[in-house]
DNA sequence: CGTTGCGGTAATCAGTTGATTACAACCGAC
DNA sequence: GTCGGTTGTAATCAACTGATTACCGCAACG
């Protein structure tokens, strides 16, 4: 009966009425294009990446239960039916998103450590090296705030340990990060604990949208302690009024 | 048409997780009773407390979006319509639950500090006293694991900063705890930060249901570091297979 | 040329779910 | 004993949502 929620259909508008110019887009490039933009056909691999990125943003803002497959689809610019089919289910998409997040964390951490090593002056002590590497980890973690929703998607996943399907994936992701810190990076357990603690506190402050709520200043003393460069962060972090 | 989900009605549904003693005795009988038992009429104040306790357990396990008003009602042993009417809306109930959690945290922290002071040997140094008080905070926080769902309800609330109604309540609760640590308890900001960090990491591990998943042992080195008495905790914390 | 496969959507279904309404049982006060 | 405020419920509504189905259009290929 009802045409379903107005925007359940795919974003780019006119789909079926395509008859007109029907133009066609430059095949090869498959650019992101904006313009008056065509729906643009792309490889399923590209679409997959696009949907994953959009999902991370949306899941981060609304959580697993709070995000509808329609939200996800709209954010990615495709139809609701498509996301469901491509990932089998909303659950499948969430698990893929979480794995994507863990991948990204590992990649960025590894790169940060390599850079820290490369930037080390010749003849630096082990202690100096370790310190630089620890610092690099934190910086990398904060820099990832630019990846919309990454921290919060992770946080939402970490609350779903009781889900028979998602739980194992979430634990595995957490486990990977821990293993990276201990084995690949070679930090001691004590640092591992405090680094993760710090990370979870940051995630919490972000989830609370405390960075920015310039009003009350509930605990901006804590904010200042947690975010070395608060101003820089404030421009990137999700705002309180931004439902998403 | 359909009589709604079988258990949407109240029925003699078992009282929530909390022992029957629950909030305390007080009232004349108000037995929880089992038997063939009548639902038993109670004062709205008692009901309110009962629903709140049940809600903390359920919201902790399923989150705000994941918990249905029917889940909440069943856990409290009342009808779905009743919880909605008593708190106005599911949102209202969640906000009340979060405030209840913050109250409980503050009360227990305060009591723990008082006890620590009382237990201090005469002539103890300031440093000894501070150390004992810090230790008492952590112990109190872990002991609160017995309050089913408290940590996870908090954690869920901390992810809803973007909600126009819940966000302010969540931030206020967090702010209260921070203010308690800094002003009432008088700890320095550095401790405040590391205490909260530790707390958020604990909440994460609990949300992941990592305590217990005896299987993989993803990161039990970390668990051992975080939980001073892991065995004691394992009996209380929600298990992975326990959807709620 | 046709046909086969794939990217992609509209329409729709079936099950949920928060809220509302109307009504029932109970208890204390007068 | 009955009247009124409460405690509490069954039934239902209207909206939403994840998934499924059936279909469209393009491109490459033989």
């Amino acid at each position: 009966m009802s045409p379903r929620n107005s925007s359940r259909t795919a974003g780019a508008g006119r789909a079926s009425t395509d008859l007109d110019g029907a133009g066609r887009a430059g095949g090869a490039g498959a650019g992101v294009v904006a313009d008056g933009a065509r729906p643009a056909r792309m490889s399923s691999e590209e679409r997959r990446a696009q949907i994953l990125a959009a999902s991370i943003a949306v899941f981060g803002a609304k959580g697993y239960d709070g995000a509808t497959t329609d939200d996800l689809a709209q954010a990615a610019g495709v139809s609701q039916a498509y996301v469901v089919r491509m990932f089998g289910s909303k659950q499948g998409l969430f698990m893929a998103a979480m794995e994507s997040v863990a991948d990204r964390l590992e990649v960025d951490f590894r790169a940060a450590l390599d850079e820290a090593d490369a930037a080390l002056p010749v003849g630096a002590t082990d202690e100096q090296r370790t310190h630089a590497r620890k610092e690099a980890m934190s910086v990398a973690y904060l820099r990832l705030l630019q990846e919309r929703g990454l921290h919060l998607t992770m946080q939402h996943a970490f609350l779903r340990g009781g889900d028979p399907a998602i739980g194992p994936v979430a634990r595995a992701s957490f486990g990977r990060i821990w293993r990276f810190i201990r084995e690949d990076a070679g930090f001691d357990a004590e640092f591992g604990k405090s680094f993760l603690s710090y990370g979870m506190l940051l995630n919490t402050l972000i989830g609370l949208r405390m960075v920015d709520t310039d009003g009350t200043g509930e605990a901006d003393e804590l904010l200042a302690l947690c975010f070395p460069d608060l101003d820089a962060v404030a421009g990137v972090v999700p705002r309180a009024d931004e439902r998403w």
Side-chain angles (χ1 to χ4, degrees), chain A residues 31 39 74 101 103 105 130 136 149 153 170 187 212 221 228 234 239:
Chain A
Q74 276 181 251
V101 166
D103 287 345
L105 280 168
T130 299
T153 291
F187 292 114
D212 81 304
E221 182 189 25
R239 303 237 151 205

Side-chain angles (χ1 to χ4, degrees), chain A residues 1 25 31 53 62 65 88 92-93 100 102 113 115 132 134 142 145 148 158 174 179 187 192 199 206 213 220 229:
Chain A
M1 312 264 189
K62 304 196 172 191
D65 293 304
L93 173 52
S100 165
L113 291 180
E115 275 175 40
K134 288 180 178 176
L142 283 169
L145 278 171
R148 207 103 179 138
F158 289 168
F174 187 88
R179 204 173 321 114
F187 292 114
I206 296 162
T213 12
D220 31 52
D229 185 356

Side-chain angles (χ1 to χ4, degrees), chain A residues 6 25 51 66 81 87-88 112 145 154 165-166 174 192 211 213 219 234 244:
Chain A
S6 54
I51 294 176
F87 291 89
L145 278 171
M154 187 179 20
I166 298 176
F174 187 88
V211 185
T213 12
W244 136 261

Side-chain angles (χ1 to χ4, degrees), chain A residues 42-127:
Chain A
M42 47 177 88
S43 76
S44 80
E45 202 178 342
E46 279 176 309
R47 266 300 180 220
R48 189 184 160 86
Q50 189 182 48
I51 294 176
L52 273 178
S55 296
I56 289 169
V58 175
F59 278 133
K62 304 196 172 191
Y64 177 71
D65 293 304
T68 68
T69 53
D70 202 34
D71 291 332
L72 272 352
Q74 276 181 251
V78 296
S79 69
Q80 181 260 350
Y82 192 51
V83 292
V84 172
R85 202 184 49 187
M86 175 167 270
F87 291 89
S89 65
K90 176 175 154 178
Q91 193 179 70
L93 173 52
F94 186 75
M95 294 190 286
M98 184 57 222
E99 265 159 5
S100 165
V101 166
D103 287 345
R104 181 65 189 269
L105 280 168
E106 204 167 330
V107 165
D108 277 33
F109 282 153
R110 202 178 300 277
L113 291 180
D114 288 348
E115 275 175 40
D117 279 340
L120 217 59
V122 286
T125 66
D126 266 13
E127 203 167 336

Side-chain angles (χ1 to χ4, degrees), chain A residues 142 198 201-202 205 210-212 217-234:
Chain A
L142 283 169
Y198 171 62
L201 178 57
L202 285 186
L205 294 175
M210 258 185 154
V211 185
D212 81 304
E218 291 288 2
D220 31 52
E221 182 189 25
L222 175 62
L223 283 182
L225 268 179
C226 290
F227 295 98
D229 185 356
L230 192 53
D231 290 333
V233 167

